[in-house]
Amino acid sequence: MPAKILVLNGPNLNMLGTREPAVYGHETLADVHALIQARAGELGVEADCRQSNGEGELVTWIQQARGDATAIIINAGAYSHTSIAIPDALRAAELPVYEVHLSNIYQRESFRHHSHISAVAVAVLCGLGPDGYLYALTAAAKAAD
Ligand code: CA2
């Protein structure tokens, strides 16, 4: 059975490629998912890529990953800075978590400097654009090998 890595994107990330290209780049979320699937194929792992604008839906998907997925890669968007429910669910899932942000959150407004998810993540990748997901996927695949 190949390792199964759940890739979650949070609120507004479905808008990628439509606005703020200087911050988030020109790729759409579909483009990012295609890059992830291509790398997953090279690594011999399965990537299940999802996006939701809802905190509760993200929590439900994280709960369902327990016993099903090998690792979780998550860009929780603005929920990274506000949600307690998402890190609670990640902790309960007992899976390695890789946190990704497209932008360098430390170069931006101070309210973006703290993520509640970082404390439950094995690694945080930010400021690398879509490559952050690919590095996280590579690390998750290696750890599962
Ligand atoms: O840098 C990241 O990946 C963020 O997680 C993106 C979030 C932001 O709230 C975090 O502080 C950092 C926002 C995603 C919104 O994406 C948009 C893309 C294009 C147009 C509008 C929103």
Side-chain angles (χ1 to χ4, degrees):
M1 285 273 283
K4 181 174 173 183
I5 298 161
L6 180 63
V7 184
L8 295 180
N9 279 290
N12 294 309
L13 285 156
N14 55 314
M15 302 293 287
L16 278 181
T18 65
R19 288 189 291 118
E20 300 194 72
V23 180
Y24 297 120
H26 291 279
E27 287 93 350
T28 65
L29 187 62
D31 294 335
V32 173
H33 285 177
L35 289 169
I36 293 168
Q37 293 298 352
R39 181 61 56 87
E42 291 165 10
L43 293 165
V45 300
E46 185 184 332
D48 179 0
C49 299
R50 304 180 190 193
Q51 185 274 335
S52 178
N53 292 323
E55 184 178 14
E57 189 162 41
L58 292 163
V59 167
T60 298
W61 288 342
I62 293 164
Q63 290 176 358
Q64 291 169 349
R66 185 185 160 97
D68 182 48
T70 317
I72 298 175
I73 295 171
I74 184 164
N75 180 351
Y79 289 149
S80 313
H81 317 299
T82 62
S83 174
I84 302 301
I86 290 173
D88 278 353
L90 289 167
R91 203 175 287 107
E94 295 186 307
L95 291 169
V97 173
Y98 298 83
E99 179 181 8
V100 173
H101 296 283
L102 293 159
S103 62
N104 183 343
I105 56 176
Y106 302 103
Q107 287 181 343
R108 303 184 64 194
E109 304 96 320
S110 59
F111 64 82
R112 297 186 201 275
H113 293 182
H114 181 263
S115 164
H116 296 288
I117 293 171
S118 303
V120 299
V122 294
V124 181
L125 298 101
C126 80
L128 297 170
D131 281 351
Y133 296 93
L134 306 184
Y135 289 123
L137 192 68
T138 304
K142 188 175 177 188
D145 202 18

